[in-house]
């Protein structure tokens, strides 16, 4: 008995050592920074943490220490960074960043061209690097990407009674939606509030602005014309807002949806009370894990629907790392961000469903899932790979984006709640957005 | 009348002594209160943006203030804050008074109850916000589930979305957290109350309502007004609970001054404009404080306690 316990203990102790050995076996030389302490501010949250467990390996390889000054969600981190800029306390080196947020920070982050080796940069997807570039400067190194596709509860679509009833009502066969109109039809069809909902959407902050934006594009509209005049109060814009409003009025989404953010929609789908869920790949393994999710084993996935403009929605962006201009050891900082975005580290995130920004990691991750007979994750990666290649587009990479978003989303909410018509709401938002763009010197 | 001796330097003269003794306090106040206030007042006349430190010198005159006066959202938020303040303060006063009167009657276990009563105040407003966000959640919230289980409702009531219910929910959270401030101050008033007038009233044949209305309540009013002054300043700054529960939304239905100011100042980085908003909203706090102080003096005069 005692011997067995000892053996287990010995094995348990050896395992991390072996694993460390594997990490050390990397070919890449991350340099030596003995005694140096690298100060960093990172985005926090369940899906971001597994990568941070790797930080101690970088510390072992380089002899440096990492002092994590903050680990917050991106909205809070954004406020903190703005305060640092105002107070002149940018006394840290590496910060988490995002393609949508980066343009507003001006020149606090350095251009990584020339700091990160060209052969390393060449391993990243071109589009991911292009989206990380602001005014010709590569101000961030992409960590993982984000785009949404449509998860659905498979059993609902296999049920013969559902198929018959749907065909009778709508005159076409029940199959996972290909267009936004079908998405709406089916969401309303499946809804039975308050026990079961057709779908749900994120209802506030930049989240709903982003959803509106991608639908606007899919409907054939645009946020701005080429001279930066707001043009989202178009017919396409009204159609996009009407989609949200119709679902809300039909009680196909929970009544509190305008207070929902990403966690609410993800957890809602996992609770088994929602038929369709447009979401990022970061949830995939969670959704299919019986310990967390009631829909595990019953999930289908299709690409995001097509709008009446003939285009698929594909609002996209990347979580990234940046290095401050005030950093006292840019070499160590560059080593750190290279390490966190390396092939091995991206594989760790890919296994959780986060979309890599290195081309090779995609292939290797799919091969690994296939070898483990994890058909669901193979399907997830193949679907997302296609949408990243064909559908992805970012919001305008301009400094006033968040400010324009803050003018838009309360008006979208007002239209959904029926306080004003979609046209009135968009006209008002366009007028305010024009003022923002004028102040920022775009008009 | 003090004699003025010309040989003594002015700062050693008797009438200057109080000022001299107060000087350290005055200096510290100037440094930590007045200076930042002046600085933020200055920035309200600039186009200061948090992410562009050089914009601190971009003087725009009254432009920020002009924008505020034509900004309907700001005035809606202003009006909503006044409404929020009025309802929350009155409810807190009524509940606080009730609790204080009840606890005052207890002869056994009063200390324990007083401590328990303080519990809501010990939580951080952010925690209180999350607690009520969960309680009022339309889908998984305790309240809707309880109502459905008891058969009192068959739908999901959108507590944090509906126009009236959303305001009700944040007022409920605010009142839950802070009623004990009123209760504790009014209880202190009850403890300090002399017994003679009460006994004299009883001898004169007053019924309990008359005793409460004409003796207890007037005696407690100065305490109530002190509590109201403190709380009005607190509630006018309400931010944490509202931000967590509704974020000022949806569609600005629960937008109060400080959720709006924080969004303009931090998310939009327009600190100059946010400071201008803050200065206009300070008028609200000054108005309430002035009103309550006048009431306080009147109440004390009524009791023969102040000039």
């Amino acid at each position: 008995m005692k011997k067995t316990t000892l053996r287990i203990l010995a094995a348990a102790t050896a395992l991390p050592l072996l694993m460390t050995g594997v990490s050390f076996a990397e070919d890449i030389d991350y340099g030596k920074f003995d005694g140096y302490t690298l100060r960093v501010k990172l985005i926090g949250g369940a899906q971001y943490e597994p990568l941070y467990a790797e930080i101690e390996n970088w510390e072992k390889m380089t002899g440096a220490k990492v002092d994590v000054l903050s680990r917050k969600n991106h909205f809070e981190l954004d406020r903190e960074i703005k305060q640092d800029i105002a107070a002149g306390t940018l006394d840290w080196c590496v910060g988490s960043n995002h393609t949508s947020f980066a343009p507003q920070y001006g020149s606090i982050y350095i251009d990584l061209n020339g700091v990160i080796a060209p052969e390393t940069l060449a391993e990243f997807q071109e589009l991911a690097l292009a989206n990380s570039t602001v005014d010709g400067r590569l101000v961030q190194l992409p960590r993982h990407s984000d785009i949404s596709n449509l998860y659905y509860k498979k059993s609902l679509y296999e049920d013969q009674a559902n198929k018959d009833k749907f065909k009778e009502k709508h005159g076409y066969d029940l199959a996972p939606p290909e267009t936004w109109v079908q998405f709406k039809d089916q969401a309303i069809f499946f809804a039975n509030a308050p026990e079961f909902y057709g779908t749900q959407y994120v209802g506030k902050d930049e989240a709903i602005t982003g959803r509106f934006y991608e639908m606007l594009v899919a409907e054939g509209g645009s946020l701005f014309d080429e001279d930066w005049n707001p043009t989202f109060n178009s017919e396409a814009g009204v159609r996009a807002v009407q989609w949200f409003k119709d679902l809300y009025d039909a009680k196909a989404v929970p009544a509190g949806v305008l207070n929902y953010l990403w966690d609410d929609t993800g957890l809602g789908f996992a609770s088994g009370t929602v038929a369709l869920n447009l979401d990022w790949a970061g949830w995939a393994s969670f959704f299919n894990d019986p310990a967390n999710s009631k829909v595990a084993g019953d999930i289908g996935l299709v690409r995001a629907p097509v709008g009446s403009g003939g285009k698929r929605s594909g609002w996209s962006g990347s979580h990234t790392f940046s290095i401050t201009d005030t950093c006292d050891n840019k070499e160590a900082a560059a080593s750190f961000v290279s390490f966190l975005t390396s092939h091995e580290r991206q594989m760790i995130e890919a296994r959780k469903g986060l979309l890599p920004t290195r081309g090779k990691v995609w292939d290797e991750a799919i091969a690994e899932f296939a070898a483990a007979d994890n058909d669901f994750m193979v399907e997830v990666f193949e679907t997302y790979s296609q949408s990243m290649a064909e559908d992805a587009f970012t919001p305008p990479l301009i400094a006033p984006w968040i400010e324009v978003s803050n003018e838009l989303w309360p008006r979208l909410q007002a239209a959904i709640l029926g306080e004003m018509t979609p046209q009135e709401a968009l006209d008002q938002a366009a007028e305010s957005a024009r003022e923002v763009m004028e102040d920022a010197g775009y008009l | 009348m003090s004699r003025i001796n010309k040989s003594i330097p002015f700062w050693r003269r008797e009438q200057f002594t109080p000022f001299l003794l107060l000087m350290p306090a005055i200096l510290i106040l100037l440094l930590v209160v007045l200076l930042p206030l002046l600085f933020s007042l200055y920035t309200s006349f600039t186009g200061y943006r948090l992410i562009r430190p050089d914009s601190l010198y971009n003087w725009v005159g009254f432009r920020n203030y002009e924008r505020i006066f034509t900004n309907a959202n700001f005035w809606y938020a202003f009006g909503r804050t006044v409404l929020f303040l009025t309802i929350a303060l009155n409810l807190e006063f009524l509940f606080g008074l009730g609790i204080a009167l009840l606890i005052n009657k207890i002869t056994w276990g009063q200390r324990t109850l007083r401590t328990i009563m303080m519990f809501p105040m010990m939580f951080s407003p952010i925690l209180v916000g999350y607690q009520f966000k969960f309680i009022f959640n339309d889908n998984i919230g305790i309240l809707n589930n309880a109502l459905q289980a008891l058969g009192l409702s068959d739908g999901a009531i959108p507590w944090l979305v509906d126009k009236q219910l959303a305001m009700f929910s944040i007022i409920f959270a605010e009142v839950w957290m802070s009623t004990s401030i009123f209760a504790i101050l009014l209880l202190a008033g009850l403890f300090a109350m002399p017994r003679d007038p009460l006994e004299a009233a009883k001898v004169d044949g007053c019924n309990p309502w008359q005793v409460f209305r004409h003796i207890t309540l007037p005696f407690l009013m100065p305490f109530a007004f002190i509590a109201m002054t403190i709380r009005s300043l607190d509630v006018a700054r309400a931010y944490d609970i509202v931000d967590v529960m509704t974020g000022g939304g949806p569609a600005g239905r629960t937008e109060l001054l400080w959720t709006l100011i924080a969004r303009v100042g931090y998310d939009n980085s327009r600190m100059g404009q946010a400071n201008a908003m803050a200065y206009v909203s300070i008028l609200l706090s000054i108005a309430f404080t002035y009103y309550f102080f006048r009431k306080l003096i009147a109440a004390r005069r009524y009791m023969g306690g102040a000039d």
Side-chain angles (χ1 to χ4, degrees):
Chain A
M1 180 83 180
K2 234 181 179 178
K3 263 187 183 173
T4 328
T5 319
L6 275 174
R7 234 178 274 156
I8 291 169
L9 274 175
T13 333
L15 194 65
L17 283 174
L18 282 172
M19 285 168 74
T20 323
V22 171
S23 316
F24 279 135
E26 269 179 66
D27 298 336
I28 305 160
D29 176 18
Y30 287 105
K32 277 275 163 213
F33 310 101
D34 286 317
Y36 177 68
T37 301
L38 186 72
R39 291 157 63 82
V40 301
K41 293 196 170 184
L42 303 174
I43 183 171
Q47 286 147 329
Y48 305 96
E49 301 296 327
L51 178 64
Y52 304 147
E54 288 287 302
I55 290 177
E56 61 178 293
N57 288 334
W58 182 79
E59 290 178 328
K60 277 179 200 156
M61 283 186 230
T62 60
K65 281 263 158 248
V66 176
D67 184 6
V68 182
L69 299 174
S70 63
R71 201 180 270 189
K72 298 175 172 167
N73 76 48
H74 207 98
F75 293 102
E76 285 174 26
L77 196 62
D78 172 59
R79 285 185 175 194
E80 189 175 306
I81 291 169
K82 283 171 179 167
Q83 285 178 39
D84 282 345
I85 297 172
T89 50
L90 287 161
D91 53 353
W92 41 275
C93 274
V94 173
S96 281
N97 205 347
H98 191 279
T99 45
S100 294
F101 284 77
Q104 44 174 353
Y105 300 132
S107 55
I108 66 162
Y109 294 126
I110 59 168
D111 183 358
L112 298 175
N113 285 308
V115 179
I116 307 286
E119 55 272 23
T120 308
L121 290 179
E123 289 167 10
F124 285 82
Q125 291 171 315
E126 259 177 61
L127 185 64
L129 287 185
N131 290 341
S132 301
T133 305
V134 179
D135 296 331
R137 299 167 70 242
L138 182 67
V139 292
Q140 52 201 330
L141 202 56
R143 163 186 178 175
H144 56 244
S145 294
D146 177 11
I147 191 165
S148 292
N149 282 312
L150 193 59
Y151 296 88
Y152 62 93
K153 210 173 161 186
K154 242 197 296 197
S155 50
L156 291 173
Y157 287 83
E158 287 160 359
D159 183 88
Q160 193 56 45
N162 276 345
K163 285 183 186 177
D164 296 343
K165 253 194 266 170
F166 186 84
K167 178 95 187 233
E168 194 187 311
K169 194 173 175 200
H170 291 284
Y172 64 93
D173 287 331
L174 178 64
E178 174 61 18
T179 67
W180 281 92
V181 176
Q182 291 174 359
F183 185 175
K184 185 167 81 182
D185 286 348
Q186 296 176 14
I188 294 174
F189 174 77
F190 288 126
N192 178 28
E195 280 89 34
F196 197 81
Y197 294 99
T199 186
Q200 39 184 359
Y201 44 76
V202 279
K204 61 179 180 181
D205 295 341
E206 197 227 1
I208 189 174
T209 309
R211 281 281 179 257
F212 164 75
Y213 165 58
E214 65 178 343
M215 275 190 75
L216 174 76
V217 173
E219 289 294 323
S222 62
L223 275 179
F224 301 101
D225 66 10
E226 53 199 26
D227 299 321
W228 296 108
N229 292 297
T231 54
F232 52 77
N233 49 341
S234 56
E235 277 178 32
V238 171
R239 280 199 299 277
V241 179
Q242 196 65 44
W243 185 89
F244 291 96
K245 182 170 168 49
D246 288 347
L247 286 175
Y248 193 81
D249 290 345
K251 293 193 166 50
V253 292
V257 83
L258 294 176
N259 244 337
Y260 282 18
L261 279 176
W262 305 112
D263 279 358
D264 306 284
T265 54
L267 295 173
F269 186 65
S271 75
T273 58
V274 176
L276 293 145
N277 183 44
L278 189 70
D279 224 318
W280 77 326
W283 284 107
S285 57
F286 183 90
F287 287 157
N288 211 31
D289 175 4
N292 298 317
S293 160
K294 289 189 180 151
V295 287
D298 186 22
I299 313 166
L301 177 69
V302 285
R303 272 164 82 188
V306 179
S308 64
K311 205 170 156 43
R312 277 182 204 282
S313 55
W315 170 36
S316 177
S318 300
H319 282 279
T320 61
F321 294 110
S322 293
I323 299 174
T324 58
D325 190 37
T326 46
C327 177
D328 56 350
N329 191 339
K330 294 190 178 73
E331 207 187 326
S335 157
F336 184 65
V337 298
S338 303
F339 172 82
L340 289 180
T341 54
S342 65
H343 184 92
E344 284 74 6
R345 258 42 72 183
Q346 290 212 353
M347 277 303 294
I348 292 172
E349 295 214 302
R351 285 181 196 116
K352 299 275 172 199
L354 296 168
L355 306 179
T357 55
R358 287 166 169 264
K360 265 193 192 164
V361 179
W362 279 94
D363 304 333
E364 200 174 304
I366 291 175
E368 204 177 288
F369 291 134
D373 289 329
N374 191 344
D375 296 340
F376 175 69
M377 286 307 284
V378 172
E379 188 191 353
V380 167
F381 262 63
E382 281 173 349
T383 311
Y384 278 88
S385 154
Q386 206 179 356
S387 52
M388 278 307 291
E390 295 170 27
D391 313 328
F393 51 84
T394 64
L397 299 176
I398 52 171
W401 163 243
I402 298 295
E403 226 178 310
V404 168
S405 161
N406 283 339
E407 295 299 342
L408 244 171
W409 66 262
R411 266 73 169 229
L412 296 177
Q413 291 183 326
I416 294 166
L417 290 168
E419 284 185 6
M420 47 178 96
T421 66
Q423 187 67 60
E424 283 167 356
L426 291 178
D427 285 346
Q428 268 194 22
E431 202 180 310
S432 308
R434 167 174 290 281
E435 203 173 82
V436 170
M437 296 302 280
E438 279 171 2
D439 286 355
Y442 282 83
L443 289 174
Chain B
M1 215 164 102
S2 61
R3 278 186 305 129
I4 297 168
N5 187 342
K6 285 190 177 172
S7 62
I8 301 174
F10 79 94
W11 47 271
R12 289 186 62 185
R13 285 176 208 156
E14 200 179 330
Q15 67 266 44
F16 283 103
T17 315
F19 295 103
L20 211 62
L21 293 171
L22 284 173
M23 200 48 84
I26 291 171
L27 277 178
I28 288 171
L29 276 177
L30 283 179
L31 211 68
V32 299
V33 179
L34 195 66
L35 214 62
L37 274 178
L38 285 176
F39 176 71
S40 56
L41 182 66
Y42 162 76
T43 61
S44 73
F45 292 101
T46 67
Y48 181 40
R49 300 173 76 96
L50 219 47
I51 46 171
R52 303 271 178 277
D54 51 325
S55 59
L56 188 55
Y57 310 104
N58 174 17
W59 182 262
V60 295
F62 282 95
R63 190 173 150 87
N64 287 330
Y65 288 93
E66 280 164 21
R67 275 197 174 173
I68 290 172
F69 284 105
T70 54
N71 182 347
N73 285 341
F74 175 79
W75 292 107
Y76 277 126
F78 194 93
R80 222 174 277 123
T81 309
V82 174
L83 184 76
F84 180 72
L85 224 159
T86 313
I87 297 177
L89 281 190
N90 280 299
L91 287 178
E92 285 175 23
F93 169 60
L94 286 177
F95 290 138
L97 183 63
I99 292 171
L101 288 171
L102 287 175
I103 290 187
N104 193 37
K105 289 280 176 205
I106 295 174
T107 47
W108 185 84
Q110 200 191 58
R111 275 188 193 176
T112 320
L113 263 178
R114 279 202 320 248
T115 314
I116 292 173
M117 189 179 74
M118 305 286 283
F119 277 175
M121 279 171 63
M122 295 172 192
F123 292 111
S124 132
I126 292 184
L127 279 180
V128 175
Y130 276 112
Q131 170 190 311
F132 281 100
K133 187 182 180 184
F134 176 64
I135 289 174
F136 287 118
N137 182 296
D138 62 296
N139 202 10
I140 51 161
I142 295 171
L143 188 59
N144 269 356
N145 278 316
L147 290 175
Q148 283 163 19
L150 293 170
L152 296 172
S153 149
D154 56 356
I157 302 171
W159 292 100
L160 298 173
V161 171
D162 182 85
K163 204 167 200 164
Q164 269 84 38
L165 292 180
M167 271 311 265
F168 164 82
S169 306
I170 56 172
I171 289 173
F172 189 93
E174 185 72 43
V175 169
W176 181 86
M177 190 176 75
S178 303
T179 293
S180 46
I181 295 180
F182 271 89
I184 217 78
L185 279 166
L186 294 176
L187 195 60
L190 285 172
F191 285 165
M193 200 166 156
R195 313 300 302 171
D196 306 357
L198 292 175
E199 278 155 18
K202 276 178 193 161
V203 171
D204 288 348
C206 288
N207 63 29
W209 168 250
Q210 285 170 324
V211 172
F212 173 74
R213 172 71 189 80
H214 297 289
I215 299 173
T216 314
L217 196 59
F219 186 84
L220 285 182
M221 281 324 275
F223 292 89
F225 285 124
I226 290 171
M228 284 205 181
T229 313
I230 297 170
R231 286 292 301 145
S232 72
L233 295 175
D234 251 3
V235 181
R237 288 184 291 134
Y239 172 73
D240 325 47
I241 288 184
V242 188
D243 194 54
V244 170
M245 284 177 71
T246 63
R253 285 176 171 178
T254 54
E255 186 89 289
L256 301 184
L257 280 171
W258 288 95
T259 51
L260 178 70
I261 292 169
R263 186 168 310 114
V264 172
Y266 289 105
D267 296 353
N268 293 355
S269 311
R270 291 175 182 254
M271 204 39 103
Q273 198 180 342
N275 278 335
M277 285 180 170
Y279 267 93
V280 174
S281 58
I282 280 175
L283 295 177
L284 183 70
S285 297
I286 291 174
F288 269 92
T289 311
Y290 178 72
Y291 173 75
F292 288 133
F293 268 130
R294 284 198 51 174
K295 285 281 185 188
L296 173 67
I297 290 167
R300 291 185 64 193
R301 190 175 293 142
Y302 181 80
M303 297 302 296
D307 42 53

